[in-house]
Amino acid sequence: MADEAKAKGNAAFAAGRFEEAAQHFGDAIALAPDNHVLYSNRSAAHASLGRYSEALADAERTVALRPDWAKGYSRLGAARLGLGDAPGAVEAYEKGLALEPSNEALTSGLAQARQAASAARRPGASGADGIGKVFQGPELWSKIAADPTTRRYLDQPDFVQMLREVQRNPGSLNSYLSDQRMVQVLTLMLNINLQHKSNGASESAAAQSAPQTPKQQPEVKAREPEPEPEPEPEPMEVTEEEKERKERKAAAQKEKEAGNAAYKKKDFDTAIQHYTKAMELDDEDVSYITNRAAVYLEMGKYDECIKDCDKAVEKGRELHADFKMIARALTRKGTALAKLAKSSTDYDVAIEIFQKALTEHRNPDTLKKLNEAERAKKELEQQEYFDPKIADEEREKGNEFFKQQKYPEAVKHYTEALRRNPKDPRVYSNRAACYTKLGALPEGLKDAEKCIELDPTFSKGYTRKGAIQFFMKEYDKALETYQAGLKHDPKNQELLDGVRRCVEQINKASRGELSEEELKERQNKAMQDPEIQNILTDPIMRQVLSDLQESPQAAQAHLKNPGVMQKIQKLVSTGIVQMK
């Protein structure tokens, strides 16, 4: 019974299901509590999950049961190194080498531990710095690419960025160990891997947990110099099955790469074929499904895309896949749903899916798509609400309330009219008049400007805007507005009267007829105007103003310049400059 549980643990470990492997080894230990090999294997499983405290406990039990077994010290050294205890790791590897001087795994592990210990003795160094050094060797990328279980991580930009950060700063490793991908790569770099031996006298599926030197190959399968006293050969069926599984995974990865190449060339049919083949070869990698979904999305086959995304999410939950992969599938589903939307309510489902994706991983691209979907929903709602006939009815109701001087009620109906028909300049003009009566001048000015934008020839827009600017005592701006309206309607009496009123106010300032209080108020208001601020900070205008005071002859030359003269007039109209 213990052998059966152990065999299940070996198979799970080889498949990268370390949690399951640890559980099976635990079941085997319950049946054979004095078997040192079982503790050794469970120590490797715990280390692969980044649970170095549990790995250390099992390694210590291994050494206690078989103090003359060199491999136990390899486990002990790896666990201590994982916990940042580099000196303790050195001690463990040295004890193992004392038992078996030619063991390459122990030798390379000792070198790594000594390097980590040396780094820890430097100021500011830490245990994480030491173990993080294994990511700085030149063989890092080739090892990850060579291993079928980690190769796919190189296609994930966020993981590549994490690796580069650890390369730059080994001390940052601990902050990334919550990511299962980083734990798996760490165990690969530390050479923690259950290996199947063809020699029945060797430990079955026991992993070499010692760290590797940069020149060491990813997996060293060395025959033990002394036969194990407890031969535990693996069943031939398990070995062949695992071999076939690895071959299928490798073939699936090649299909994925071919699919990626076809996708980049926009050969979508070929890409679909390769991704489908990859899914048939390996049903434990969600990326094949999400990639095919992306192709369907590009092809406009949105229903197929949604089906693949649902499948990817379901499979990802089952396999405990990276949350970012789940978010990616949900984002693609939301995108497909948004493409299929025909009405504003159709966007509700897409928006909900984007929000779910953001709970998995807050990705800027997903957030952007959510904002786009919400904006599109709002635009469709406006289009669906559009009804010029009802808009005219609401405008007439607003006119009646305006005549009755019930301005808030009038604003309400004008606003509803604009919801029904946002392109009617008359309604903006009427609502601007209401806002003016209510003293809401900024809102009225905004409506008047919108009115002019919709119909630059509509005189009422200019009279509304000019009147508001006049009430705000921005006489020079009001004058410009009235003059702009006269270009479209030269005989409009309201515009002509507006020009006259503005000129009178501007001339009062020019003649010095303003009271001290009026002058101060006008000057304070003018100083808040960006245009006035620009004039006063312009070096040329500062010189002109200086000449006006100190050198009248030079000032006359400046005033011949139309641009300068216009700016002087603006300063005079606002009371900043007074002519005597």
Side-chain angles (χ1 to χ4, degrees):
M1 294 293 291
D3 288 343
E4 181 180 350
K6 174 177 174 290
K8 291 180 179 179
N10 291 343
F13 190 100
R17 302 192 301 274
F18 305 119
E19 188 69 55
E20 181 183 340
Q23 183 177 347
H24 285 306
F25 290 139
D27 294 341
I29 288 172
L31 297 169
D34 295 325
N35 187 325
H36 64 286
V37 174
L38 298 176
Y39 288 99
S40 172
N41 286 4
R42 191 170 69 175
S43 176
H46 283 316
S48 297
L49 291 166
R51 301 199 294 245
Y52 293 107
S53 296
E54 292 89 336
L56 178 63
D58 279 349
E60 289 175 341
R61 182 61 178 161
T62 302
V63 172
L65 289 171
R66 282 289 303 275
D68 60 341
W69 190 43
K71 183 111 29 180
Y73 294 97
S74 178
R75 293 275 184 256
L76 186 61
R80 287 177 175 174
L81 192 57
L83 289 169
D85 181 13
V90 169
E91 179 185 1
Y93 286 126
E94 287 178 342
K95 286 184 179 179
L97 286 169
L99 295 171
E100 192 177 314
S102 61
N103 188 295
E104 293 183 14
L106 287 166
T107 301
S108 61
L110 178 60
Q112 290 282 1
R114 282 175 174 168
Q115 182 183 10
S118 175
R121 286 193 293 271
R122 293 197 301 269
S126 65
D129 289 329
I131 196 168
K133 292 290 185 181
V134 302
F135 289 86
Q136 294 190 318
E139 79 285 0
L140 170 67
W141 303 100
S142 59
K143 277 188 177 183
I144 296 175
D147 191 285
T149 62
T150 59
R151 182 187 299 131
R152 65 180 183 274
Y153 299 157
L154 297 180
D155 293 333
Q156 301 171 12
D158 64 311
F159 182 73
V160 173
Q161 184 176 352
M162 280 195 290
L163 279 183
R164 288 175 176 162
E165 174 60 26
V166 174
Q167 283 189 312
R168 287 193 298 268
N169 177 19
S172 66
L173 175 63
N174 282 341
S175 63
Y176 296 119
L177 287 179
S178 59
D179 193 307
Q180 187 58 39
R181 298 171 298 175
M182 185 63 76
V183 172
Q184 192 165 353
V185 170
L186 176 60
T187 60
L188 171 68
M189 299 307 296
L190 292 176
N191 201 27
I192 301 175
N193 185 22
L194 289 180
Q195 302 174 10
H196 295 287
K197 304 282 186 175
S198 59
N199 182 3
S202 62
E203 178 193 7
S204 169
Q208 299 292 335
S209 63
Q212 304 176 24
T213 60
K215 293 184 179 180
Q216 187 176 343
Q217 295 300 316
E219 194 171 307
V220 177
K221 297 187 179 181
R223 182 183 295 275
E224 300 288 347
E226 295 181 8
E228 291 295 329
E230 299 178 18
E232 300 177 75
E234 290 295 329
M236 184 62 66
E237 294 79 10
V238 174
T239 302
E240 290 300 322
E241 179 183 347
E242 180 57 28
K243 180 180 178 182
E244 180 183 354
R245 179 180 174 278
K246 289 184 176 180
E247 289 175 352
R248 290 174 68 86
K249 278 187 170 293
Q253 187 63 31
K254 289 183 179 179
E255 291 291 342
K256 176 185 176 183
E257 292 168 359
N260 293 346
Y263 178 80
K264 290 177 181 177
K265 296 177 181 177
K266 298 191 179 299
D267 185 358
F268 298 135
D269 290 330
T270 302
I272 290 288
Q273 292 174 9
H274 286 299
Y275 291 138
T276 303
K277 184 63 176 176
M279 291 164 58
E280 294 170 354
L281 290 167
D282 180 10
D283 63 352
E284 295 180 349
D285 192 328
V286 180
S287 69
Y288 306 145
I289 310 175
T290 58
N291 282 15
R292 191 173 73 172
V295 180
Y296 281 136
L297 189 62
E298 287 289 336
M299 297 174 73
K301 296 183 177 181
Y302 304 126
D303 290 330
E304 287 85 347
C305 172
I306 292 169
K307 289 178 184 177
D308 268 4
C309 290
D310 287 338
K311 186 186 300 182
V313 172
E314 181 182 358
K315 194 68 177 179
R317 303 283 190 209
E318 177 187 331
L319 297 173
H320 303 290
D322 182 8
F323 57 87
K324 293 179 182 177
M325 188 66 71
I326 303 294
R328 185 179 304 164
L330 289 171
T331 299
R332 286 176 181 164
K333 178 181 178 180
T335 304
L337 287 168
K339 294 286 187 181
L340 289 170
K342 297 263 191 304
S343 67
S344 59
T345 55
D346 289 343
Y347 276 100
D348 292 338
V349 182
I351 289 170
E352 181 183 356
I353 294 299
F354 285 135
Q355 290 170 339
K356 284 184 179 180
L358 288 170
T359 62
E360 296 287 340
H361 175 53
R362 195 162 184 81
N363 181 278
D365 181 60
T366 305
L367 184 59
K368 179 183 176 183
K369 290 181 182 295
L370 171 62
N371 292 335
E372 289 173 350
E374 290 175 336
R375 189 160 51 248
K377 173 182 170 63
K378 185 176 180 181
E379 290 174 357
L380 265 182
E381 285 177 338
Q382 291 176 344
Q383 293 174 18
E384 292 164 356
Y385 205 68
F386 181 81
D387 191 325
K389 183 178 179 181
I390 297 178
D392 285 340
E393 293 174 358
E394 291 294 328
R395 180 173 60 83
E396 290 298 333
K397 291 178 183 178
N399 293 345
E400 289 299 320
F401 280 111
F402 185 87
K403 292 175 184 177
Q404 299 171 27
Q405 298 184 2
K406 296 180 179 180
Y407 304 121
E409 291 82 354
V411 167
K412 178 181 177 182
H413 286 288
Y414 288 142
T415 301
E416 179 61 21
L418 288 173
R419 290 186 64 201
R420 292 291 184 175
N421 182 10
K423 301 296 184 182
D424 190 341
R426 297 173 300 171
V427 184
Y428 281 106
S429 172
N430 291 0
R431 193 169 68 172
C434 280
Y435 282 137
T436 304
K437 294 291 186 179
L438 291 168
L441 300 182
E443 291 82 357
L445 181 61
K446 185 177 178 181
D447 271 2
E449 289 174 341
K450 184 65 177 178
C451 172
I452 294 171
E453 176 189 328
L454 291 172
D455 186 358
T457 65
F458 188 46
S459 301
K460 277 290 184 183
Y462 295 98
T463 59
R464 302 292 189 211
K465 182 178 178 181
I468 293 171
Q469 290 170 326
F470 189 89
F471 289 139
M472 296 172 75
K473 298 186 179 181
E474 296 177 349
Y475 303 119
D476 55 325
K477 291 186 178 180
L479 178 60
E480 291 175 2
T481 299
Y482 287 131
Q483 289 173 338
L486 286 170
K487 291 179 181 178
H488 302 287
D489 190 359
K491 297 181 181 180
N492 186 288
Q493 194 59 47
E494 283 188 82
L495 294 173
L496 291 170
D497 289 342
V499 169
R500 178 182 52 77
R501 290 195 304 272
C502 290
V503 170
E504 287 177 358
Q505 291 296 325
I506 292 172
N507 287 340
K508 285 177 69 175
S510 302
R511 294 192 297 265
E513 296 176 357
L514 295 175
S515 67
E516 185 176 346
E517 184 179 344
E518 288 176 327
L519 179 62
K520 187 175 181 180
E521 180 185 0
R522 190 175 294 191
Q523 289 173 339
N524 289 338
K525 193 171 190 66
M527 291 302 293
Q528 299 174 17
D529 188 335
E531 185 178 359
I532 299 297
Q533 293 173 2
N534 290 334
I535 293 174
L536 294 176
T537 55
D538 183 348
I540 296 176
M541 288 304 300
R542 290 172 70 88
Q543 182 62 48
V544 171
L545 293 174
S546 177
D547 289 343
L548 282 172
Q549 290 181 321
E550 301 173 3
S551 178
Q553 187 175 358
Q556 290 299 320
H558 290 309
L559 295 177
K560 292 179 181 179
N561 185 321
V564 171
M565 188 60 189
Q566 183 180 7
K567 292 178 181 179
I568 292 294
Q569 288 175 341
K570 187 172 289 291
L571 293 176
V572 170
S573 68
T574 57
I576 300 296
V577 171
Q578 298 182 58
M579 307 296 288
K580 296 182 179 180

